[in-house]
Amino acid sequence: MRPALRFLLAARQSELHGLEQLSHTCQFVSLVGELVHALQKERGYSILTLCQDRADLLPALDAYTRGAESGEARMRGFLDSVLARGSEQPGRARLYSCIAYALYRLDELPDLRWRVRQRKLDAQGASLAFTRLVSSLLAVVFEAADASLDAGITRLLVALLNFMQGKELSGQERAYGVMGYTAGYFTEAQKVQMAEFAAGQQRCFEVFGECAPADVMPAWQQVQPHTEKVQQLRGMARQTHAGQALDPGLAELWFELCTARIDAMAPVEQGLADTLARQCAQRIEAARAERDNHRSLLDQFAQHVGGQSPAMLFNVQRRVLDLPPEDGVAGGIERSMLDMLQDQAARMRQADQALAQARGALDERKRIERAKWLLVQKHGLTEPAAHERLQRAAMESGMSLAEVARQVLDQPAGRR
Amino acid sequence: MRPALRFLLAARQSELHGLEQLSHTCQFVSLVGELVHALQKERGYSILTLCQDRADLLPALDAYTRGAESGEARMRGFLDSVLARGSEQPGRARLYSCIAYALYRLDELPDLRWRVRQRKLDAQGASLAFTRLVSSLLAVVFEAADASLDAGITRLLVALLNFMQGKELSGQERAYGVMGYTAGYFTEAQKVQMAEFAAGQQRCFEVFGECAPADVMPAWQQVQPHTEKVQQLRGMARQTHAGQALDPGLAELWFELCTARIDAMAPVEQGLADTLARQCAQRIEAARAERDNHRSLLDQFAQHVGGQSPAMLFNVQRRVLDLPPEDGVAGGIERSMLDMLQDQAARMRQADQALAQARGALDERKRIERAKWLLVQKHGLTEPAAHERLQRAAMESGMSLAEVARQVLDQPAGRR
């Protein structure tokens, strides 16, 4: 077969493989999402248990643990197929590293559970350990999504990632709030932290709202009444101080209202994952049909000119076929081939454009991460301290976090 | 083996495969560079032949043609190994499409040569056809370079790409100048075009100078005296007009001086390609050593805990081993593993940061391309007209082309 055609087909084949891999990745993301959901619950209830020190809470905690364990088992069961599909491929190093790190944190989980039950660590410590685990899992999801190659699918992934991030902030808010409610009041520092959880959720859900498909919006509407109830307790928390303590029993109400809200989010996440799976399947089908179309066109071509390239029909000094090739049947196929090549180039340009737009939110997050680690590296800050410095700079300058990050990254090395 | 470790090793393996593929790609880029160099000469001499209509030029043109033909044969000979190495991989669709398109254009070359010798097209037409072919080959190089995964290597690729682009503009300037010198003078429009060729070269060679390694600078110094000579003839061209024509014989001198300059560039390009190959080989060796290190560490781990994960040593209610794992030998290995995971994460963050900086020039070029095609799409402009519009906007506003492109892309869809 003429080499140009072989590469044309190979391009379609590679695209198809990429879509199949993406579809497989999306299944994995769904499983990680379910595990994260279960861990978020277990985290919240572990904090509640540690704060309240009541033996009657233990059976419910054990049930949450079993839920997370079965989510973990499902995700681990899928992992073999992840390695099988891509272990020889370049460009998977970041994803595999993230998975290795998340698995390392998962391996610590039984010990963490044991220490929670033995009261060998406080609520703050448990919250930190669970949050570190969840963020290692979310890092896997973000990394997996980075391989996207279709604008529509990237848009859905951006919606899903932001939704998962917003949901995780809701989970952190739930766990953190339990501590304040158990104490009966929130310190000023705690109030600032609670406000940041709420603001972070809003940003994430806004991006979700911009990118989400219409068919998940009804499920998202179902979350709103729960948000309003949580909002009331948020307001109550803001008005507390050491001299004006609330009933510690409110901690359980706070936990329940937050849990009802977060549980209502799960169908939205599932709906997004379903839409994603559907869209992947459609794109795969389309790519397969197109590849087969190309194949049949190329077979025609091979029949007409015996697979010879025009380079073999002409030479420098004379033309073997004196008619220009544009006039014959082969010429028509030649034109079709140029059309195919140009269509493909145009399609990829459009995809680049659309991808760059859809990736906006992803790239922003990357920029913020890069700026944060630059501060860690330059000033020897801890990760949270670097994040706080960025946030403070954003607040003081009235710029978004992403704009501040861009400024940090754009500064010449000496002035950071 | 414990899954976290399997993914850790798989990450190293994937990185290694990526580096091997990159090294292979760099060899391909070298071959494309040699072919482009030969085609640039053939283009220049074809234009000279068409402009001057002298039979005594034909033997030299035939020699240039043979040079390009053997470069083409070498590149085509390498193509099979390109497909063999990655045909099943996702993420190669863009590269393969570019190769398919370049091969399509290469297939047209024998016909183009025949038409040049039959004088079936004019100098302008021949220049356009050759330039379209060369830019399809440069597109392959840009696409191949886009897969980079190491900051040092990306920096070298950015130097190489900008150098190739600058050299191609020198080649276009040579061909275009032949037309003006043959006529004896340059029109105002031609003078503007000549100035753009010179300015474009300067931009490309500036970026090259920022990113190039020290060991190619002596070869680059050798180009300077040639540039000064070309500069004199550029000055002469600017002072011509219809009423003040030069000796058409200067066309040959212009061709020779430009050719001497462009030939002097070839060792720089070759030096960059050699440095690139060396750096790839070093990185591959380092990655291999690191992977083997990891393997031996993981073997130790397997010996000590029989490959069991800590998750199997603890459970929720009690601890099988009552000593915390940090105290034993296995604990030491456990810490080593966390160190490895964290080292790997830190290294990837640093690579991301360095890559983002090294890619600056690449990403700018992409942004300009995207902005151009957006104008094509929105306003039904031709590609050159869109490019001209961007350039005019840059000149009028005093901004760089990249800044104008960013503004075009940032505008909401309705206002472009």
Side-chain angles (χ1 to χ4, degrees), chain A residues 2 6 14 17-18 80 88-90 92 94 97 107 111 114 117 316 319 344 349 352 370 373, chain B residues 2 6 14 17-18 80 88-90 92 94 97 107 111 114 117 316 319 344 349 352 373:
Chain A
R2 188 169 153 190
R6 283 176 53 208
S14 168
H17 280 288
D80 282 333
E88 295 302 302
Q89 280 170 19
R92 307 275 282 178
R94 280 183 169 69
S97 289
D107 286 345
D111 183 50
W114 179 80
R117 280 155 177 89
V316 169
R319 203 156 189 170
Q344 188 153 310
R349 271 197 308 274
D352 277 344
R370 279 215 315 275
W373 286 105
Chain B
R2 188 168 152 190
R6 284 177 52 209
S14 168
H17 279 289
D80 282 334
E88 294 302 300
Q89 280 169 20
R92 308 275 283 178
R94 281 183 168 70
S97 289
D107 287 345
D111 184 51
W114 180 81
R117 280 155 178 88
V316 168
R319 204 159 188 165
Q344 188 153 310
R349 272 198 307 274
D352 277 345
W373 286 105

Side-chain angles (χ1 to χ4, degrees), chain A residues 278-317:
Chain A
R278 245 191 343 266
Q279 196 136 328
C280 279
Q282 281 168 5
R283 281 286 283 120
I284 288 172
E285 206 180 322
R288 212 170 265 153
E290 217 162 344
R291 181 200 57 185
D292 295 344
N293 261 348
H294 282 192
R295 270 208 190 124
S296 72
L297 189 65
L298 302 183
D299 285 346
Q300 279 178 46
F301 185 86
Q303 280 170 18
H304 278 287
V305 301
Q308 285 187 307
S309 93
M312 303 172 72
L313 304 180
F314 314 115
N315 72 19
V316 169
Q317 300 305 334

Side-chain angles (χ1 to χ4, degrees), chain A residues 27 60 109 156 159 195 229-230 262 285 312 384 403:
Chain A
Q27 291 172 49
L109 192 49
L156 281 174
K229 285 185 202 154
V230 169
I262 296 173
E285 206 180 322
M312 303 172 72
E403 283 170 300

Side-chain angles (χ1 to χ4, degrees), chain A residues 179-293:
Chain A
M179 296 186 236
Y181 272 110
T182 300
Y185 67 95
F186 291 76
T187 65
E188 286 312 305
Q190 283 175 322
K191 286 179 196 169
V192 168
Q193 180 61 66
M194 290 292 281
E196 273 175 21
F197 284 135
Q201 288 171 57
Q202 203 188 338
R203 275 196 302 274
C204 288
F205 292 135
E206 269 169 23
V207 178
F208 155 77
E210 285 161 19
C211 300
D215 52 1
V216 301
M217 291 329 257
W220 177 235
Q221 294 307 325
Q222 302 291 314
V223 179
Q224 300 323 309
H226 297 287
T227 302
E228 281 158 29
K229 285 185 202 154
V230 169
Q231 192 66 36
Q232 286 173 4
L233 263 82
R234 282 178 186 160
M236 215 183 275
R238 271 197 302 276
Q239 280 154 22
T240 61
H241 50 79
Q244 185 160 7
L246 300 165
D247 173 10
L250 277 176
E252 224 165 325
L253 178 64
W254 164 259
F255 181 82
E256 274 163 27
L257 290 180
C258 286
T259 300
R261 174 168 176 251
I262 296 173
D263 282 350
M265 291 179 191
V268 182
E269 196 178 301
Q270 194 50 53
L272 276 172
D274 291 346
T275 312
L276 202 48
R278 245 191 343 266
Q279 196 136 328
C280 279
Q282 281 168 5
R283 281 286 283 120
I284 288 172
E285 206 180 322
R288 212 170 265 153
E290 217 162 344
R291 181 200 57 185
D292 295 344
N293 261 348

Side-chain angles (χ1 to χ4, degrees), chain B residues 5-298:
Chain B
L5 303 184
R6 284 177 52 209
F7 275 92
L8 186 60
L9 274 186
R12 293 347 284 265
Q13 194 60 49
S14 168
E15 194 181 9
L16 191 55
H17 279 289
L19 286 167
E20 283 165 353
Q21 182 159 300
L22 185 59
S23 158
H24 185 259
T25 301
C26 289
Q27 291 173 47
F28 181 60
V29 164
S30 278
L31 289 174
V32 174
E34 284 167 28
L35 171 58
V36 164
H37 185 67
L39 287 171
Q40 285 165 339
K41 268 192 202 175
E42 190 184 2
R43 170 180 57 195
Y45 215 80
S46 297
I47 306 306
L48 192 67
T49 307
L50 284 169
C51 286
Q52 306 241 324
D53 196 11
R54 280 162 44 197
D56 62 316
L57 297 179
L58 278 177
L61 179 59
D62 287 345
Y64 285 130
T65 294
R66 282 192 299 274
E69 279 173 340
S70 75
E72 179 181 346
R74 277 194 302 275
M75 192 206 75
R76 284 185 182 268
F78 199 82
L79 278 179
D80 282 334
S81 66
V82 170
L83 265 195
R85 287 184 78 95
S87 66
E88 294 302 300
Q89 280 169 20
R92 308 275 283 178
R94 281 183 168 70
L95 177 62
Y96 293 162
S97 289
C98 283
I99 293 178
Y101 185 71
L103 287 173
Y104 183 90
R105 291 297 173 204
L106 270 177
D107 287 345
E108 293 179 328
L109 192 50
D111 184 51
L112 172 61
R113 285 170 177 149
W114 180 81
R115 285 188 292 151
V116 166
R117 280 155 178 88
Q118 299 295 313
R119 313 190 67 75
K120 298 243 182 210
L121 81 179
D122 60 7
Q124 192 85 50
S127 172
L128 199 74
F130 271 106
T131 297
R132 192 167 58 184
L133 168 59
V134 169
S135 68
S136 76
L137 287 165
L138 288 180
V140 170
V141 173
F142 273 87
E143 201 53 55
D146 214 13
S148 168
L149 63 171
D150 173 90
I153 292 173
T154 298
R155 213 174 146 75
L156 281 173
L157 281 168
V158 168
L160 179 59
L161 297 179
N162 277 280
F163 192 82
M164 288 175 98
Q165 185 73 24
K167 180 162 166 282
E168 165 59 7
L169 289 171
S170 313
Q172 288 182 24
E173 181 190 27
R174 169 174 62 185
Y176 201 86
V178 162
M179 296 185 234
Y181 273 111
T182 301
Y185 68 94
F186 290 77
T187 64
E188 287 312 304
Q190 283 176 322
K191 286 179 196 169
V192 168
Q193 179 62 66
M194 289 293 279
E196 272 174 22
F197 284 136
Q201 287 172 57
Q202 205 188 338
R203 273 196 303 273
C204 288
F205 292 136
E206 269 169 21
V207 178
F208 155 77
E210 285 161 21
C211 301
D215 52 0
V216 301
M217 290 329 256
W220 177 234
Q221 293 307 324
Q222 302 291 315
V223 179
Q224 299 323 308
H226 297 287
T227 303
E228 281 158 29
K229 284 185 202 155
V230 168
Q231 193 64 39
Q232 286 173 5
L233 263 80
R234 282 178 186 161
M236 213 182 276
R238 272 198 301 276
Q239 280 155 23
T240 62
H241 50 79
Q244 186 161 9
L246 299 165
D247 173 10
L250 277 176
E252 225 164 325
L253 177 65
W254 164 259
F255 181 82
E256 274 163 28
L257 291 179
C258 287
T259 300
R261 176 170 176 250
I262 295 172
D263 281 350
M265 290 179 191
V268 182
E269 195 178 300
Q270 193 50 53
L272 276 172
D274 291 346
T275 311
L276 202 48
R278 246 189 345 265
Q279 197 136 327
C280 280
Q282 281 169 6
R283 281 286 284 118
I284 288 173
E285 208 179 320
R288 212 169 266 154
E290 218 164 341
R291 180 199 56 186
D292 295 344
N293 262 346
H294 282 193
R295 272 209 189 125
S296 72
L297 189 65
L298 302 183

